[in-house]
Amino acid sequence: MLFFVDTALLSEIQEAASLGILDGVTTNPSLMAKAGVKDFDAHYRAIAQLTSGPVSAEVISTTYADMIAEARHLHSLAPNIVVKIPFTPDGVKALHTLKEENIPTNCTLIFSPLQALIAAKAGATYVSPFIGRLDDVGHEGMELIRQIRQIFDNYGFETKILAASIRHPLHVLQAALEGADIATMPFSVLKQLFQHPLTDKGLAQFLADYEKLHGRS
Ligand code: E4P
């Protein structure tokens, strides 16, 4: 499973990359706003230099023609930029055109398996089912991952399942068990994946036992 970090903060991306297990980055307009970004182009270029993996940059346009123009521009900023397109009829049409132009896409705001099927038929490189936001409204987000996995396997779609809107480590575990190709998570969740009290306790014991024999180094 690939790990992406879901943030626009350069410090977090840099720290995540230094761990050696970062495969890519996803952003959205809300994350860019939260990071206080004014110059989006410069910021996407900066992010794209911090990782060799894909960096999702979302279009602001809502019509087909404007989405295509914006997607071409975003992808021209850096070769690893993937254009995030919202799931709308114009968006789906844009996915199809961008596939023909070899511009990688991430179809976002996926809340149903049929939306994912349509995005895959249109040639999306990635689909982003939003697990946490479904859980928030009383639907089991993980069921969506399960159904998309089954549909893509039934028909041999190569579109990658990018589990998004992840809120805690259990989401990452369940997405991995359900066969999501990628999990994109806040940096706080990535850090949580490293934590286990028994690891800390075990290490403290090993060091204490060493010190009993050799003293503090
Ligand atoms: C990722 O691509 C999505 O934009 C993101 O995971 C949404 O997460 P949220 O529901 O926590 O805003």
Side-chain angles (χ1 to χ4, degrees):
M1 177 185 241
L2 300 184
F3 283 179
F4 290 2
V5 72
D6 195 30
T7 180
L9 284 173
L10 298 180
S11 56
E12 291 189 341
I13 296 165
Q14 211 155 18
E15 209 178 323
S18 74
L19 293 170
I21 53 157
L22 185 69
D23 300 301
V25 177
T26 52
T27 66
N28 62 38
S30 304
L31 291 170
M32 296 287 273
K34 198 172 153 194
V37 179
K38 292 275 187 298
D39 183 343
F40 276 39
D41 285 5
H43 202 77
Y44 287 137
R45 278 197 202 96
I47 294 176
Q49 283 189 344
L50 293 177
T51 174
S52 55
V55 174
S56 284
E58 187 161 340
V59 296
I60 310 300
S61 314
T62 54
T63 64
Y64 167 76
D66 288 350
M67 279 186 199
I68 294 297
E70 195 181 346
R72 287 176 185 148
H73 171 71
L74 288 171
H75 187 61
S76 76
L77 297 174
N80 54 336
I81 287 199
V82 169
V83 182
K84 221 169 172 189
I85 303 277
F87 184 88
T88 61
D90 279 54
V92 169
K93 205 170 143 190
L95 291 173
H96 182 71
T97 302
L98 295 170
K99 165 84 175 167
E100 287 180 342
E101 295 186 15
N102 287 319
I103 294 180
T105 53
N106 172 359
C107 188
T108 190
L109 293 166
I110 295 286
F111 292 97
S112 89
L114 293 175
Q115 290 178 324
L117 172 58
I118 290 168
K121 280 170 68 65
T125 316
Y126 304 91
V127 285
S128 287
F130 277 34
I131 300 168
R133 292 193 197 186
L134 277 172
D135 286 354
D136 289 345
V137 294
H139 289 264
E140 198 202 327
M142 215 45 66
E143 178 64 13
L144 176 59
I145 302 287
R146 201 172 301 139
Q147 292 179 336
I148 297 173
R149 179 75 280 154
Q150 189 178 334
I151 291 168
F152 284 9
D153 289 349
N154 284 351
Y155 296 100
F157 284 115
E158 288 180 4
T159 300
K160 303 291 182 206
I161 303 173
L162 200 173
S165 187
I166 279 178
R167 301 278 159 77
H168 47 70
L170 193 55
H171 274 155
V172 181
L173 172 63
Q174 291 169 328
L177 290 170
E178 296 300 343
D181 299 289
I182 305 139
T184 189
M185 64 199 89
F187 184 53
S188 56
V189 174
L190 183 67
K191 283 195 293 190
Q192 279 180 291
L193 300 185
F194 283 77
Q195 291 163 10
H196 200 292
L198 290 180
T199 303
D200 297 342
K201 191 178 165 200
L203 180 59
Q205 185 66 57
F206 288 153
L207 295 178
D209 288 342
Y210 179 87
E211 270 179 29
K212 271 186 224 157
L213 285 176
H214 303 280
R216 195 180 289 268
S217 56

